[in-house]
Amino acid sequence: MRALLPVTALLVLLSPAGARGAPPQLAVPLLLDESAGVARHAAPVSASVPLPRGRLPTGAPIWVAGANGRAVPSQPTVLEPWPDGSVRWLLVDFLADVPARGHATYTLHAGAPPAPVSGPGIVSTTTADGARTLDTGALRVTLPPHGDAWLAQVAAGGAALSGGVPLPALTVEGGAAGGAAPAARTVETEGPVRTEVVLRGRYPGGLAYETRLAVFAGQPLVRVEHTLTNMTDPDYAHIRSLTLRVPGPFAHGAAGVDGRPKALEPGAHTRLLVQETANEILLDGARVGRRGDGWVRAADDRVALTAVLPRFWEEYPAAFGVARDALQVDLFAGRDRPVALGRGAAKTHELWLAFEKASTATSADALAAALRAPLIAFPPPEWIVASGALPQALAPDAPGARSLLARLSTAFAGYQKRARTERWDDGPPVPCPERTTENPRTGFYGVLNWGDWNFPGYRDQAEGCDGWGNLEYDRSQVLALGFVATRNRELWDAFTAAARHYRDVDVIHYMPEHPDWVGLNHPHKASHFAPESRSKVDLGHTWAEGLITHYRLTGERRSLEAARALADALIPRVEKAGNPRQRGWPIIALSAVAAATNEPRYLDGARAFAAGVLANVAPTPASGDWKMGIMADGMSYLHAARGEDDVRRWLLAYADALLAEPARFTDPRYALPLGYLAVLTGNDRYERLARQVADGLKLSDWGKPIAAMGRTGFRLLAPLDARPPAGR
C-alpha cells in the first residue's frame, strides 16, 4: 500500500481560511492506478475532488502538477458548490503518464502554475454557417450545424475518411426504419483537455435519443455516449437494430474473440460478428467462440479505424460488421429476436472510435484494453472523509471499517460469481400461470440487465416471474462507498454499470397516462419495467444517493438529472405515503438532492414527509417492523440538514426506546440513525450499540443483502469516522 497523508495533516490542509489564520496552500494528492496492463502517455484522466466548505472559491484558478512538480494540461469543472458558493465537488480533466500495472500521484494546487503549461490541447473553430471543427493534434473532426450526421469530416495523421459519420440508424419491428433528425446541438463542455457536444432528437416512430461526443487533447479518439429512450405509447418497442455505419473504403478487417484477433476480411457481403448471448458469439451465422473482446478494426493503406464497445459481451446482443465500404457497430443486434425496450425506459451505450494513420496505428487489443479501463484519479479516502463532501464515506482504517470492508469484499466476490453463473428465465413477463415456455439464460447479463441482480425462480402474480431487483436498497451507493474506501477497480466498474442501469432502465422517463410517475423508479419486477404488471410505483423503493454519488464521482449529468426528476416526483406524493419506509426513503432522497443542488424546495418536501411522521407515528421501533429504521434514518437526514428541535426529540425518543429493549429489535436496520445520534449527542451508549450492530452485519452473495446490510454498515460507521480525531 502506498503511504497516505496522516489525518491530522489532512485536517490542516482542509481547514478553511480564517479558522486558525490562513491555511497552507492547497495540495490535494490525486492517486492513479493503471489496471489494464497498458502504459499510458499523456492520457486523459478525470479526477473528482471533494473540498471542504470555504476552502476553494468558485472560479478560483487551479493547476495540476506531475511527479516532477511541473504543471500538466488541466481543465476544471465545478460539479457542485457548498451553500456559501465555495466549491464542494470539482471535476478536473488532465493528462497523465502511468506505467503499465503501475501507479502515479499527481497533485491539485490552487492558484496559477509557477511556469507556463506545455503539452497537447484542443483547438476549436467555428465557421460562418455554424459548423464546429475540433483539432486535438492527433485528430480533426467537424461537427455540422444541422443534418443527420454526428461528424461531417474526419481526418487523422494527414489522411481523411471518405465521408462523415451519420447518426445510428434504428430499425423497430412494425415501425419505420431509418435515421434521425437532430433537434439540438449544444457544447456541454469546452476546454483544452476535453470538449464534449450533446445532440438531442427523435427517431421515426417517436423514440428519442441523446448523444454525447467527446474529444481529448492529443488523442485520436471520439467517445460516444448514445442514449435511446422509448417515448412511444405501446408497452414495448421491439428493436431489431441500432446500427452505426462509418464509411470506408476498407481493405482489411479484424475483431477480438476470446482474447485473440480474428480476421474479418471484407468481401462482397458484410462480415458480421454477433454476440448472441453472454456465452456465444457468431461469425456470419456460425459459432466461433464465447465472447468478443469488444473491438473491431477496419483499415486500408491510409487509415485504421477502430471501434471499441467496452461492455460488448456483457450487454448482448451486439454486433460488429466489416465491409469494403463501411465499418458497422450494432448496439441493439436483436435481429430475429428483437430487444423489448419498455415504454419509458432508456439505455445508454458507451462507444469509442479511434481514427489513426494506418502505418502508425496502435495495437487494437491494447487500445481496447485501455478504453475498457480508462484512467480515473481520486484523493485518498481520508481526504474524502475529512472534506465532509461525501457524508457516508468511510476511511479504511477507521474503527470497525476493516471488518466491514472485508465482509463487503467477500460478499462482492460471491456476487460476481452469481452474476456469471446463475440461471434465470427470460420468458415473457406475463402472470406466472400464463407462462408456457422458458428462455433460459446464464448470468446477469444483457443489454437491459447488466448492472442489476435477479430474483431467480421468483414467482409473483403482481410483478411477474424472475423479477429483477432494480437496485433495491441503493446498491449503487454501497458499491461507490466500497470503492472510495478500497480503490478496488472491480467495485468501480460494478458501481458505474449499476448507476447507469438504474438511471436508464429502472427509472420511468415517459408515462402519458401517469405523468406523475415520471422520474420515479419501478419496484422490482420482470424485465425491470413490465408495463403490463399489476405492480406500479412504490414510495418505499425510491433511491437517489447512488445517482448523486455517481454524478459527483464522474460528472455524468444524466445521473444528477435522474436524481432531480425523482425528487420532483416525490414532492407532490406526500399524501400517498403509507408504511414507514414509504416516508423514510423519500425523506432520504429529498435531503440528498437538496444537499447536491442547494435548492430549499427539496428540503421543504422532506419536511412535509416528516410532518406525517411527527403527527402519526410514535417514536419507538415498536410502532412497526424493521421499516421503522428506514423512517428514523430519514428523520436523521432531515435533522442533519435543518436541525429542527421537534425532529431531534422524535429521534432521541426512538433511540432511547431501541436501547431500552435491543434484544427485541434484532434487525440491524432498526439501528440506522445511531451513528449520527452518537455524534450529535456524545452519548456513548448510542455509539456502542451502533458499533455492535455494524460488527454483526451479515452480507451474503446476493444483491439485496449486499445493498441492505452494506448500506447499514456505512450509515452506522461513517458519521463516527467523520468526527475530528479528538472527538473519537
Side-chain angles (χ1 to χ4, degrees):
M1 272 182 81
R2 53 174 115 200
L4 303 180
L5 287 172
V7 174
T8 51
L10 287 169
L11 290 172
V12 171
L13 287 171
L14 287 164
S15 299
R20 288 179 301 277
Q25 292 295 314
L26 190 68
V28 185
L30 305 176
L31 312 179
L32 292 87
D33 302 301
E34 203 295 311
S35 60
V38 180
R40 317 293 177 97
H41 176 65
V45 182
S46 287
S48 192
V49 184
L51 294 159
R53 185 192 298 253
R55 190 64 177 87
L56 184 69
T58 296
I62 62 96
W63 61 284
V64 175
N68 58 8
R70 296 176 183 169
V72 299
S74 62
Q75 174 182 331
T77 303
V78 176
L79 297 180
E80 185 181 313
W82 289 97
D84 66 358
S86 60
V87 177
R88 181 171 182 170
W89 282 93
L90 184 72
L91 186 72
V92 184
D93 291 285
F94 64 98
L95 302 180
D97 296 338
V98 189
R101 304 288 182 193
H103 314 285
T105 300
Y106 284 69
T107 307
L108 172 69
H109 296 279
V117 180
S118 62
I122 298 173
V123 177
S124 176
T125 57
T126 304
T127 63
D129 66 354
R132 180 181 291 267
T133 297
L134 303 173
D135 192 334
T136 71
L139 176 69
R140 187 176 71 255
V141 298
T142 299
L143 290 80
H146 46 73
D148 61 354
W150 274 349
L151 306 173
Q153 298 177 350
V154 181
L161 286 182
S162 59
V165 180
L167 281 153
L170 177 68
T171 303
V172 179
E173 187 176 74
R185 297 173 187 262
T186 306
V187 178
E188 193 169 75
T189 302
E190 187 167 21
V193 177
R194 173 173 61 93
T195 291
E196 192 155 4
V197 177
V198 60
L199 295 76
R200 296 182 178 92
R202 295 230 175 187
Y203 284 100
L207 281 88
Y209 71 86
E210 180 180 80
T211 303
R212 284 176 168 81
L213 304 173
V215 297
F216 304 86
Q219 299 295 317
L221 303 169
V222 178
R223 184 185 67 198
V224 179
E225 292 176 344
H226 186 69
T227 304
L228 182 72
T229 305
N230 184 357
M231 307 286 281
T232 63
D233 292 338
D235 283 352
Y236 294 93
H238 296 275
I239 301 173
R240 290 189 178 276
S241 67
L242 181 61
T243 303
L244 172 68
R245 186 176 184 276
V246 185
F250 298 114
H252 308 287
V257 177
D258 291 333
R260 298 183 301 276
K262 176 170 281 295
L264 301 179
E265 295 303 319
H269 303 286
T270 300
R271 304 296 306 281
L272 194 63
L273 186 73
V274 182
Q275 187 74 50
E276 189 85 350
T277 70
N279 296 297
E280 184 179 36
I281 190 166
L282 310 177
L283 176 58
D284 300 334
R287 191 178 192 279
V288 292
R290 295 183 67 235
R291 294 172 175 172
D293 300 335
W295 66 264
V296 62
R297 171 168 285 179
D300 62 9
D301 58 357
R302 304 172 304 109
V303 176
L305 167 62
T306 309
V308 177
L309 275 172
R311 301 188 186 277
F312 178 73
W313 69 265
E314 292 101 327
E315 295 184 334
Y316 71 85
F320 291 138
V322 177
R324 289 172 180 166
D325 62 346
L327 179 149
Q328 298 179 10
V329 180
D330 191 348
L331 304 175
F332 283 91
R335 303 183 300 156
D336 295 334
R337 187 177 290 174
V339 176
L341 183 65
R343 177 182 50 195
K347 173 60 186 179
T348 300
H349 283 91
E350 179 183 338
L351 168 68
W352 293 78
L353 299 174
F355 303 91
E356 299 176 282
K357 189 176 181 179
S359 60
T360 57
T362 310
S363 162
D365 56 352
L367 178 64
L371 295 177
R372 284 194 297 267
L375 292 175
I376 53 175
F378 289 98
E382 292 82 0
W383 178 281
I384 296 174
V385 171
S387 75
L390 187 61
Q392 312 312 326
L394 187 63
D397 290 329
R402 286 186 180 275
S403 173
L404 174 66
L405 295 173
R407 280 173 283 155
L408 177 61
S409 177
T410 299
F412 178 65
Y415 170 78
Q416 288 179 299
K417 182 178 179 180
R418 287 180 70 128
R420 292 190 297 268
T421 60
E422 190 159 272
R423 183 186 182 278
W424 57 280
D425 181 10
D426 193 22
V430 298
C432 291
E434 298 178 23
R435 181 178 287 186
T436 58
T437 60
E438 282 194 340
N439 184 25
R441 299 292 198 190
T442 301
F444 303 156
Y445 305 115
V447 66
L448 300 178
N449 304 331
W450 180 234
D452 208 338
W453 49 270
N454 189 264
F455 285 97
Y458 189 65
R459 293 294 182 267
D460 181 272
Q461 299 308 305
E463 296 170 343
C465 303
D466 283 273
W468 289 88
N470 288 9
L471 281 301
E472 191 172 3
Y473 290 102
D474 209 347
R475 189 168 62 89
S476 305
Q477 175 75 343
V478 174
L479 296 173
L481 297 174
F483 168 77
V484 166
T486 65
R487 298 184 58 81
N488 179 334
R489 181 70 192 226
E490 291 182 327
L491 281 171
W492 171 265
D493 292 341
F495 156 60
T496 54
R500 290 171 177 172
H501 169 90
Y502 177 65
R503 76 172 187 214
D504 286 343
V505 179
D506 295 342
V507 167
I508 301 168
H509 301 276
Y510 175 76
M511 189 68 67
E513 68 273 34
H514 287 289
D516 57 315
W517 291 5
V518 173
L520 298 173
N521 58 293
H522 292 284
H524 44 70
K525 59 175 64 172
S527 297
H528 308 281
F529 30 73
E532 70 274 30
S533 167
R534 295 200 304 271
S535 174
K536 307 306 180 185
V537 295
D538 185 347
L539 293 180
H541 288 70
T542 49
W543 304 288
E545 284 184 293
L547 293 171
I548 292 167
T549 301
H550 186 246
Y551 168 71
R552 288 169 170 171
L553 298 188
T554 67
E556 291 191 23
R557 300 188 188 192
R558 281 184 56 82
S559 294
L560 179 61
E561 291 166 0
R564 276 183 176 273
L566 174 63
D568 290 338
L570 287 173
I571 291 173
R573 299 183 72 83
V574 63
E575 298 300 328
K576 297 184 180 295
N579 66 54
R581 71 175 177 181
Q582 291 180 349
R583 302 181 191 275
W585 282 120
I587 296 174
I588 292 169
L590 287 162
S591 300
V593 174
T597 62
N598 296 313
E599 293 189 26
R601 65 191 182 95
Y602 293 124
L603 275 184
D604 292 342
R607 172 67 199 193
F609 276 92
V613 177
L614 296 170
N616 301 306
V617 184
T620 168
S623 294
D625 58 10
W626 57 266
K627 299 180 184 70
M628 285 296 298
I630 303 295
M631 177 187 286
D633 197 22
M635 297 293 275
S636 70
Y637 273 72
L638 181 61
H639 185 267
R642 296 181 67 152
E644 294 167 328
D645 287 341
D646 54 354
V647 177
R648 177 188 174 112
R649 288 192 297 271
W650 192 97
L651 280 166
L652 295 182
Y654 173 91
D656 290 340
L658 176 60
L659 263 68
E661 298 182 276
R664 179 182 173 187
F665 307 108
T666 56
D667 192 295
R669 288 167 287 190
Y670 281 114
L672 276 163
L674 289 185
Y676 170 75
L677 294 175
V679 176
L680 177 69
T681 65
N683 188 324
D684 290 341
R685 294 190 307 143
Y686 296 165
E687 178 169 349
R688 284 197 296 273
L689 185 55
R691 294 196 182 281
Q692 177 183 331
V693 171
D695 287 344
L697 290 172
K698 294 179 172 57
L699 284 73
S700 77
D701 62 355
W702 188 37
K704 187 170 183 174
I706 287 177
M709 296 300 103
R711 183 186 182 278
T712 301
F714 283 109
R715 184 68 183 134
L716 289 169
L717 296 178
L720 304 173
D721 184 27
R723 291 178 298 178
R728 290 192 182 130

